[in-house]
Amino acid sequence: MPAHDVIVVGLGGMGSAAAYHLAARGVRVLGLERFGAAHDHGSSHGGSRITRQSYFEDPAYVPLLLRAYELWERLAHDSGRDVITLTGGVMVGLPGSRTVDGSRRSAEQWGLDHEMLDAAALRRRFPTMRPGPDEVALYEANAGFVRPEETVAAHLDLAARHGAELHYEEPVLRWEPAPSGVRVTTARGTYEAGHLVICPGAWAPELLADLGVPFVVERQVQYWFAPTGGVGAFTADRHPIYIWEDSGGTQIYGFPAIDGPAGGAKVAFFRGGEHCTPQTIDRVVHEHEVRAMAAQTAPRLPSLAGRFLQAKTCMYTNTADEHFVIATHPGHEAVTVACGFSGHGFKFVPVVGEILADLATTGRTRHPIGLFDPRRRMPAVTAPSRE
Protein backbone atom coordinates (compact mmCIF):
# COMPACT_ATOMS: atom_id res chain seq x y z
CA MET A 1 0.00 0.00 0.00
CA PRO A 2 1.43 3.44 -0.93
CA ALA A 3 2.49 5.67 1.93
CA HIS A 4 0.36 8.52 0.59
CA ASP A 5 -3.18 8.85 -0.73
CA VAL A 6 -2.54 11.93 -2.90
CA ILE A 7 0.60 13.52 -4.28
CA VAL A 8 0.41 17.26 -5.02
CA VAL A 9 2.96 18.49 -7.55
CA GLY A 10 3.68 22.21 -7.26
CA LEU A 11 3.16 24.05 -3.98
CA GLY A 12 2.56 27.58 -5.22
CA GLY A 13 -0.82 29.27 -4.90
CA MET A 14 -3.06 26.44 -6.11
CA GLY A 15 -0.94 23.52 -4.95
CA SER A 16 -0.49 24.84 -1.43
CA ALA A 17 -4.27 25.32 -1.14
CA ALA A 18 -4.91 21.82 -2.48
CA ALA A 19 -2.44 20.31 -0.01
CA TYR A 20 -4.17 22.10 2.85
CA HIS A 21 -7.74 21.19 1.86
CA LEU A 22 -6.78 17.56 1.32
CA ALA A 23 -4.84 17.24 4.56
CA ALA A 24 -7.64 18.94 6.50
CA ARG A 25 -9.95 16.14 5.30
CA GLY A 26 -7.64 13.51 6.72
CA VAL A 27 -6.04 12.59 3.40
CA ARG A 28 -2.40 11.46 3.53
CA VAL A 29 -0.70 14.09 1.38
CA LEU A 30 2.76 14.32 -0.13
CA GLY A 31 3.56 17.75 -1.56
CA LEU A 32 6.45 18.22 -3.97
CA GLU A 33 7.93 21.62 -4.85
CA ARG A 34 10.92 22.31 -7.10
CA PHE A 35 11.90 25.45 -5.15
CA GLY A 36 11.51 26.54 -1.54
CA ALA A 37 8.32 27.51 0.26
CA ALA A 38 6.60 30.70 -1.00
CA HIS A 39 9.36 31.30 -3.57
CA ASP A 40 9.66 34.05 -6.20
CA HIS A 41 10.44 31.96 -9.30
CA GLY A 42 6.90 31.35 -10.56
CA SER A 43 3.61 33.24 -10.40
CA SER A 44 2.71 33.55 -6.71
CA HIS A 45 4.85 36.45 -5.53
CA GLY A 46 5.12 40.22 -5.74
CA GLY A 47 3.43 41.24 -2.50
CA SER A 48 -0.11 41.76 -3.79
CA ARG A 49 -2.79 40.52 -6.17
CA ILE A 50 -6.14 42.17 -6.89
CA THR A 51 -9.32 40.53 -5.70
CA ARG A 52 -12.75 41.61 -6.97
CA GLN A 53 -16.22 40.19 -7.56
CA SER A 54 -17.61 42.27 -10.47
CA TYR A 55 -15.72 40.07 -12.86
CA PHE A 56 -15.35 41.41 -16.41
CA GLU A 57 -13.85 38.17 -17.69
CA ASP A 58 -17.15 36.26 -17.41
CA PRO A 59 -20.11 36.27 -14.99
CA ALA A 60 -19.61 32.50 -14.61
CA TYR A 61 -16.68 33.20 -12.26
CA VAL A 62 -18.78 35.06 -9.70
CA PRO A 63 -20.06 32.04 -7.71
CA LEU A 64 -16.48 30.88 -7.30
CA LEU A 65 -15.46 34.34 -6.14
CA LEU A 66 -18.22 34.45 -3.55
CA ARG A 67 -17.01 31.15 -2.11
CA ALA A 68 -13.38 32.31 -2.34
CA TYR A 69 -14.19 35.33 -0.17
CA GLU A 70 -15.60 33.03 2.51
CA LEU A 71 -12.47 30.91 2.39
CA TRP A 72 -10.16 33.95 2.49
CA GLU A 73 -11.78 34.94 5.77
CA ARG A 74 -11.39 31.42 7.11
CA LEU A 75 -7.75 31.28 6.04
CA ALA A 76 -6.99 34.59 7.75
CA HIS A 77 -8.65 33.38 10.95
CA ASP A 78 -7.09 29.92 11.00
CA SER A 79 -3.58 31.04 10.05
CA GLY A 80 -3.43 34.36 11.88
CA ARG A 81 -1.86 35.87 8.77
CA ASP A 82 -2.73 39.08 6.91
CA VAL A 83 -3.89 37.51 3.65
CA ILE A 84 -6.71 39.80 2.42
CA THR A 85 -7.55 43.52 2.66
CA LEU A 86 -10.60 45.19 1.15
CA THR A 87 -9.91 48.71 -0.11
CA GLY A 88 -12.60 49.18 -2.74
CA GLY A 89 -11.75 49.15 -6.41
CA VAL A 90 -12.53 50.90 -9.69
CA MET A 91 -12.73 49.43 -13.17
CA VAL A 92 -12.11 52.37 -15.52
CA GLY A 93 -12.48 52.81 -19.26
CA LEU A 94 -14.71 54.08 -22.01
CA PRO A 95 -18.37 53.04 -22.05
CA GLY A 96 -18.51 49.77 -23.98
CA SER A 97 -15.00 48.70 -22.96
CA ARG A 98 -14.52 45.15 -21.72
CA THR A 99 -13.31 46.35 -18.34
CA VAL A 100 -16.34 48.52 -17.65
CA ASP A 101 -19.15 46.70 -19.42
CA GLY A 102 -17.97 43.24 -18.42
CA SER A 103 -17.73 44.27 -14.78
CA ARG A 104 -21.17 45.86 -14.89
CA ARG A 105 -22.68 42.79 -16.51
CA SER A 106 -21.37 40.51 -13.76
CA ALA A 107 -22.45 42.90 -11.03
CA GLU A 108 -25.97 43.20 -12.40
CA GLN A 109 -26.40 39.49 -13.14
CA TRP A 110 -25.40 38.49 -9.61
CA GLY A 111 -26.83 41.43 -7.71
CA LEU A 112 -23.44 42.67 -6.48
CA ASP A 113 -23.20 46.05 -4.78
CA HIS A 114 -21.60 48.59 -7.12
CA GLU A 115 -21.72 52.19 -8.26
CA MET A 116 -21.25 53.68 -11.71
CA LEU A 117 -19.15 56.86 -11.69
CA ASP A 118 -18.69 59.39 -14.47
CA ALA A 119 -15.34 61.11 -14.92
CA ALA A 120 -16.16 64.02 -12.62
CA ALA A 121 -17.40 61.73 -9.84
CA LEU A 122 -14.31 59.54 -10.15
CA ARG A 123 -12.01 62.57 -9.84
CA ARG A 124 -13.91 63.80 -6.78
CA ARG A 125 -13.87 60.39 -5.10
CA PHE A 126 -10.21 59.68 -5.86
CA PRO A 127 -8.20 62.87 -6.54
CA THR A 128 -5.12 60.90 -7.64
CA MET A 129 -7.02 59.81 -10.75
CA ARG A 130 -7.45 61.84 -13.94
CA PRO A 131 -9.94 60.09 -16.22
CA GLY A 132 -10.69 61.52 -19.63
CA PRO A 133 -14.02 63.35 -20.02
CA ASP A 134 -15.66 60.37 -21.71
CA GLU A 135 -14.34 57.71 -19.32
CA VAL A 136 -16.46 56.04 -16.65
CA ALA A 137 -15.83 53.63 -13.81
CA LEU A 138 -17.52 50.88 -11.89
CA TYR A 139 -16.77 51.14 -8.18
CA GLU A 140 -16.93 48.00 -6.05
CA ALA A 141 -16.50 48.32 -2.29
CA ASN A 142 -15.71 44.59 -1.93
CA ALA A 143 -12.60 44.78 -4.11
CA GLY A 144 -9.14 44.81 -2.59
CA PHE A 145 -5.94 42.83 -2.56
CA VAL A 146 -4.55 39.54 -1.31
CA ARG A 147 -0.98 38.78 -0.29
CA PRO A 148 0.42 35.91 -2.39
CA GLU A 149 3.46 35.00 -0.31
CA GLU A 150 1.48 35.14 2.93
CA THR A 151 -1.26 33.05 1.36
CA VAL A 152 1.10 30.31 0.19
CA ALA A 153 2.88 30.27 3.55
CA ALA A 154 -0.45 30.11 5.39
CA HIS A 155 -1.72 27.16 3.36
CA LEU A 156 1.57 25.30 3.69
CA ASP A 157 1.70 25.86 7.44
CA LEU A 158 -1.88 24.62 7.85
CA ALA A 159 -1.25 21.66 5.54
CA ALA A 160 1.74 20.60 7.64
CA ARG A 161 -0.27 21.12 10.82
CA HIS A 162 -2.81 18.64 9.44
CA GLY A 163 -0.12 16.08 8.68
CA ALA A 164 0.91 16.76 5.08
CA GLU A 165 4.47 15.75 4.20
CA LEU A 166 5.99 18.60 2.20
CA HIS A 167 9.22 18.29 0.22
CA TYR A 168 11.02 21.36 -1.09
CA GLU A 169 13.88 21.72 -3.59
CA GLU A 170 12.66 18.48 -5.21
CA PRO A 171 11.71 18.99 -8.86
CA VAL A 172 9.43 16.44 -10.50
CA LEU A 173 10.93 14.82 -13.58
CA ARG A 174 7.96 12.76 -14.77
CA TRP A 175 4.74 11.07 -13.73
CA GLU A 176 3.02 7.96 -15.06
CA PRO A 177 0.19 5.54 -14.27
CA ALA A 178 0.98 2.78 -11.80
CA PRO A 179 -0.93 -0.21 -10.39
CA SER A 180 -1.58 1.79 -7.23
CA GLY A 181 -2.76 4.82 -9.23
CA VAL A 182 0.19 7.05 -10.13
CA ARG A 183 3.96 7.05 -9.89
CA VAL A 184 5.99 10.29 -9.64
CA THR A 185 9.73 10.45 -10.20
CA THR A 186 11.71 13.38 -8.84
CA ALA A 187 15.35 14.33 -8.68
CA ARG A 188 15.52 12.49 -5.35
CA GLY A 189 13.32 9.45 -5.67
CA THR A 190 10.11 7.74 -6.77
CA TYR A 191 6.73 7.91 -5.03
CA GLU A 192 3.38 6.23 -5.58
CA ALA A 193 -0.12 7.23 -4.52
CA GLY A 194 -3.72 6.59 -5.41
CA HIS A 195 -4.16 10.04 -6.92
CA LEU A 196 -2.06 12.88 -8.32
CA VAL A 197 -2.87 16.61 -8.31
CA ILE A 198 -0.72 18.65 -10.70
CA CYS A 199 -0.51 22.43 -10.19
CA PRO A 200 2.51 23.17 -12.40
CA GLY A 201 2.19 26.90 -13.09
CA ALA A 202 4.54 27.88 -15.89
CA TRP A 203 5.85 24.30 -16.04
CA ALA A 204 2.49 23.14 -17.51
CA PRO A 205 3.88 22.75 -21.04
CA GLU A 206 6.44 20.28 -19.65
CA LEU A 207 4.42 18.31 -17.10
CA LEU A 208 1.11 18.32 -18.99
CA ALA A 209 2.24 18.02 -22.59
CA ASP A 210 -0.36 15.29 -23.19
CA LEU A 211 -3.28 17.43 -22.02
CA GLY A 212 -3.91 18.86 -25.49
CA VAL A 213 -3.97 22.49 -24.33
CA PRO A 214 -1.54 24.92 -26.06
CA PHE A 215 -0.30 26.90 -23.07
CA VAL A 216 1.68 30.10 -23.69
CA VAL A 217 3.95 31.32 -20.90
CA GLU A 218 4.34 35.09 -20.75
CA ARG A 219 6.81 37.29 -18.90
CA GLN A 220 5.05 39.80 -16.66
CA VAL A 221 6.65 42.79 -14.92
CA GLN A 222 5.44 44.44 -11.71
CA TYR A 223 6.66 47.99 -10.95
CA TRP A 224 6.86 50.04 -7.75
CA PHE A 225 7.11 53.85 -7.82
CA ALA A 226 7.43 56.48 -5.11
CA PRO A 227 4.62 58.93 -5.91
CA THR A 228 5.39 62.62 -6.26
CA GLY A 229 4.66 64.20 -2.90
CA GLY A 230 4.84 60.89 -1.03
CA VAL A 231 2.44 58.02 -0.50
CA GLY A 232 -0.12 59.93 1.59
CA ALA A 233 -2.69 60.28 -1.20
CA PHE A 234 -2.18 56.62 -2.17
CA THR A 235 -2.72 54.90 1.16
CA ALA A 236 -5.31 52.14 1.31
CA ASP A 237 -7.86 54.29 3.15
CA ARG A 238 -7.77 56.90 0.36
CA HIS A 239 -6.89 55.07 -2.84
CA PRO A 240 -8.49 51.94 -4.39
CA ILE A 241 -7.17 49.08 -6.40
CA TYR A 242 -7.86 49.73 -10.08
CA ILE A 243 -7.92 48.26 -13.55
CA TRP A 244 -7.80 50.92 -16.27
CA GLU A 245 -8.37 50.19 -19.95
CA ASP A 246 -7.36 52.77 -22.55
CA SER A 247 -9.05 53.39 -25.91
CA GLY A 248 -6.80 50.84 -27.60
CA GLY A 249 -7.68 48.05 -25.17
CA THR A 250 -4.45 48.12 -23.15
CA GLN A 251 -5.09 47.51 -19.46
CA ILE A 252 -3.03 48.52 -16.47
CA TYR A 253 -3.75 47.52 -12.90
CA GLY A 254 -2.51 48.88 -9.62
CA PHE A 255 -2.73 49.12 -5.86
CA PRO A 256 -2.67 51.58 -3.02
CA ALA A 257 0.59 52.13 -1.17
CA ILE A 258 0.35 49.11 1.12
CA ASP A 259 3.91 48.70 2.37
CA GLY A 260 4.54 51.93 4.26
CA PRO A 261 6.15 55.25 3.30
CA ALA A 262 9.18 53.62 1.67
CA GLY A 263 7.26 50.91 -0.17
CA GLY A 264 5.79 53.01 -2.93
CA ALA A 265 2.78 52.00 -4.99
CA LYS A 266 2.65 49.05 -7.38
CA VAL A 267 1.37 49.13 -10.98
CA ALA A 268 1.68 46.83 -14.01
CA PHE A 269 0.43 46.16 -17.50
CA PHE A 270 -2.13 43.37 -17.67
CA ARG A 271 -0.74 40.99 -20.28
CA GLY A 272 1.21 41.97 -23.38
CA GLY A 273 4.52 40.49 -22.23
CA GLU A 274 7.06 38.45 -24.13
CA HIS A 275 6.68 34.71 -24.58
CA CYS A 276 9.16 32.77 -22.48
CA THR A 277 9.74 29.57 -20.56
CA PRO A 278 10.77 29.20 -16.93
CA GLN A 279 14.28 28.58 -18.22
CA THR A 280 14.47 31.52 -20.66
CA ILE A 281 12.59 34.30 -18.86
CA ASP A 282 14.53 37.56 -18.73
CA ARG A 283 14.61 38.50 -15.05
CA VAL A 284 16.22 41.87 -15.76
CA VAL A 285 13.77 44.78 -16.04
CA HIS A 286 15.07 47.29 -18.56
CA GLU A 287 14.93 51.08 -18.55
CA HIS A 288 12.69 51.25 -21.61
CA GLU A 289 10.15 49.08 -19.82
CA VAL A 290 10.12 51.41 -16.81
CA ARG A 291 9.67 54.39 -19.13
CA ALA A 292 6.75 52.69 -20.91
CA MET A 293 5.01 51.97 -17.62
CA ALA A 294 5.51 55.54 -16.40
CA ALA A 295 4.24 56.93 -19.70
CA GLN A 296 1.05 54.84 -19.46
CA THR A 297 0.29 56.12 -15.97
CA ALA A 298 1.22 59.77 -16.58
CA PRO A 299 -2.11 61.00 -18.02
CA ARG A 300 -4.21 58.80 -15.70
CA LEU A 301 -2.42 58.91 -12.36
CA PRO A 302 -0.05 61.85 -12.90
CA SER A 303 1.63 61.77 -9.49
CA LEU A 304 2.11 58.00 -9.31
CA ALA A 305 5.40 57.47 -11.14
CA GLY A 306 7.44 60.12 -9.34
CA ARG A 307 10.49 57.95 -8.80
CA PHE A 308 11.12 54.36 -9.82
CA LEU A 309 11.86 52.07 -6.88
CA GLN A 310 12.00 48.49 -8.09
CA ALA A 311 10.49 45.91 -10.43
CA LYS A 312 9.98 42.16 -10.32
CA THR A 313 9.18 39.62 -12.98
CA CYS A 314 6.75 36.72 -12.78
CA MET A 315 5.01 34.48 -15.32
CA TYR A 316 1.50 34.13 -16.66
CA THR A 317 0.55 30.75 -18.12
CA ASN A 318 -2.14 31.61 -20.65
CA THR A 319 -4.75 29.59 -22.46
CA ALA A 320 -6.05 30.82 -25.81
CA ASP A 321 -9.43 31.85 -24.35
CA GLU A 322 -7.91 33.11 -21.08
CA HIS A 323 -10.04 30.72 -19.01
CA PHE A 324 -8.57 28.27 -16.51
CA VAL A 325 -8.01 24.53 -16.80
CA ILE A 326 -9.37 22.69 -13.74
CA ALA A 327 -10.46 19.10 -14.29
CA THR A 328 -9.79 15.42 -14.00
CA HIS A 329 -7.21 14.67 -16.69
CA PRO A 330 -9.17 13.38 -19.72
CA GLY A 331 -6.68 10.57 -20.22
CA HIS A 332 -5.95 9.65 -16.60
CA GLU A 333 -8.78 9.40 -14.09
CA ALA A 334 -6.32 9.26 -11.19
CA VAL A 335 -4.89 12.68 -12.10
CA THR A 336 -6.40 16.12 -11.42
CA VAL A 337 -4.97 19.22 -13.09
CA ALA A 338 -5.11 22.94 -12.32
CA CYS A 339 -3.24 25.26 -14.65
CA GLY A 340 -3.55 27.94 -17.33
CA PHE A 341 -4.73 30.63 -14.92
CA SER A 342 -3.93 33.27 -17.52
CA GLY A 343 -2.93 36.07 -15.19
CA HIS A 344 -6.15 36.27 -13.17
CA GLY A 345 -6.16 33.18 -10.99
CA PHE A 346 -4.72 34.08 -7.62
CA LYS A 347 -7.91 35.56 -6.15
CA PHE A 348 -9.44 32.07 -6.59
CA VAL A 349 -6.69 30.20 -4.71
CA PRO A 350 -8.74 29.05 -1.68
CA VAL A 351 -11.71 27.82 -3.70
CA VAL A 352 -9.49 26.12 -6.29
CA GLY A 353 -7.86 24.24 -3.42
CA GLU A 354 -11.30 23.13 -2.29
CA ILE A 355 -12.25 22.06 -5.82
CA LEU A 356 -9.05 20.07 -6.27
CA ALA A 357 -9.63 18.29 -2.98
CA ASP A 358 -13.16 17.45 -4.14
CA LEU A 359 -11.99 16.05 -7.48
CA ALA A 360 -9.11 14.09 -5.97
CA THR A 361 -11.27 12.42 -3.33
CA THR A 362 -14.68 12.00 -5.01
CA GLY A 363 -14.15 12.72 -8.70
CA ARG A 364 -16.70 15.56 -8.67
CA THR A 365 -17.37 18.97 -7.10
CA ARG A 366 -20.41 21.09 -6.36
CA HIS A 367 -18.65 24.12 -7.80
CA PRO A 368 -19.33 25.18 -11.43
CA ILE A 369 -16.17 24.31 -13.37
CA GLY A 370 -17.54 23.37 -16.79
CA LEU A 371 -15.92 26.48 -18.27
CA PHE A 372 -12.51 25.06 -17.35
CA ASP A 373 -12.72 21.71 -19.16
CA PRO A 374 -9.49 21.14 -21.13
CA ARG A 375 -11.53 19.53 -23.93
CA ARG A 376 -13.42 22.77 -24.69
CA ARG A 377 -13.07 24.43 -28.06
CA MET A 378 -10.45 27.18 -27.91
CA PRO A 379 -9.43 29.85 -30.42
CA ALA A 380 -6.06 29.68 -32.13
CA VAL A 381 -3.12 30.90 -30.05
CA THR A 382 -1.85 34.34 -31.01
CA ALA A 383 1.22 36.17 -29.84
CA PRO A 384 0.57 38.92 -27.28
CA SER A 385 1.14 42.49 -28.36
CA ARG A 386 1.06 45.93 -26.81
CA GLU A 387 1.25 49.13 -28.83
Side-chain angles (χ1 to χ4, degrees), residues 223-230 261-265 290 294 302-310:
Y223 304 84
W224 284 259
F225 292 94
T228 301
V290 177
S303 63
L304 173 62
R307 177 169 55 89
F308 173 66
L309 296 176
Q310 63 168 327

Side-chain angles (χ1 to χ4, degrees), residues 36-115:
H39 62 81
D40 64 356
H41 302 297
S43 305
S44 299
H45 62 278
S48 57
R49 293 290 187 275
I50 284 176
T51 188
R52 53 195 164 91
Q53 295 178 357
S54 300
Y55 217 60
F56 66 77
E57 287 84 350
D58 196 302
Y61 286 87
V62 174
L64 297 177
L65 287 163
L66 297 177
R67 176 57 176 163
Y69 269 58
E70 295 174 350
L71 293 172
W72 282 115
E73 287 190 22
R74 183 188 300 176
L75 179 64
H77 176 271
D78 291 350
S79 68
R81 290 178 179 265
D82 181 16
V83 294
I84 183 168
T85 303
L86 300 186
T87 62
V90 289
M91 312 301 131
V92 189
L94 292 171
S97 63
R98 183 189 185 199
T99 301
V100 173
D101 271 17
S103 298
R104 186 172 189 170
R105 183 168 57 253
S106 283
E108 291 177 347
Q109 180 172 325
W110 291 98
L112 304 175
D113 288 340
H114 67 287
E115 296 178 60

Side-chain angles (χ1 to χ4, degrees), residues 21-193:
H21 280 279
L22 285 161
R25 298 181 189 189
V27 175
R28 297 176 303 160
V29 176
L30 171 64
L32 299 171
E33 168 57 51
R34 68 174 55 236
F35 300 111
H39 62 81
D40 64 356
H41 302 297
S43 305
S44 299
H45 62 278
S48 57
R49 293 290 187 275
I50 284 176
T51 188
R52 53 195 164 91
Q53 295 178 357
S54 300
Y55 217 60
F56 66 77
E57 287 84 350
D58 196 302
Y61 286 87
V62 174
L64 297 177
L65 287 163
L66 297 177
R67 176 57 176 163
Y69 269 58
E70 295 174 350
L71 293 172
W72 282 115
E73 287 190 22
R74 183 188 300 176
L75 179 64
H77 176 271
D78 291 350
S79 68
R81 290 178 179 265
D82 181 16
V83 294
I84 183 168
T85 303
L86 300 186
T87 62
V90 289
M91 312 301 131
V92 189
L94 292 171
S97 63
R98 183 189 185 199
T99 301
V100 173
D101 271 17
S103 298
R104 186 172 189 170
R105 183 168 57 253
S106 283
E108 291 177 347
Q109 180 172 325
W110 291 98
L112 304 175
D113 288 340
H114 67 287
E115 296 178 60
M116 296 305 302
L117 306 176
D118 62 15
L122 181 60
R123 287 194 297 271
R124 286 194 302 270
R125 182 80 63 91
F126 303 112
T128 53
M129 297 186 164
R130 294 290 185 273
D134 297 328
E135 290 185 305
V136 297
L138 179 143
Y139 173 76
E140 177 190 337
N142 283 329
F145 64 91
V146 295
R147 295 277 195 178
E149 292 92 340
E150 285 293 300
T151 297
V152 173
H155 277 134
L156 292 175
D157 288 349
L158 290 171
R161 190 183 306 174
H162 285 283
E165 181 181 338
L166 307 176
H167 293 193
Y168 302 106
E169 307 294 343
E170 187 167 355
V172 169
L173 304 178
R174 63 183 178 274
W175 61 271
E176 58 196 341
S180 59
V182 290
R183 180 181 299 113
V184 176
T185 301
T186 74
R188 294 187 198 168
T190 300
Y191 309 93
E192 293 191 4

Side-chain angles (χ1 to χ4, degrees), residues 193-214:
H195 201 93
L196 173 64
V197 175
I198 306 179
C199 303
W203 286 262
E206 300 172 26
L207 290 177
L208 292 172
D210 65 340
L211 193 59
V213 177

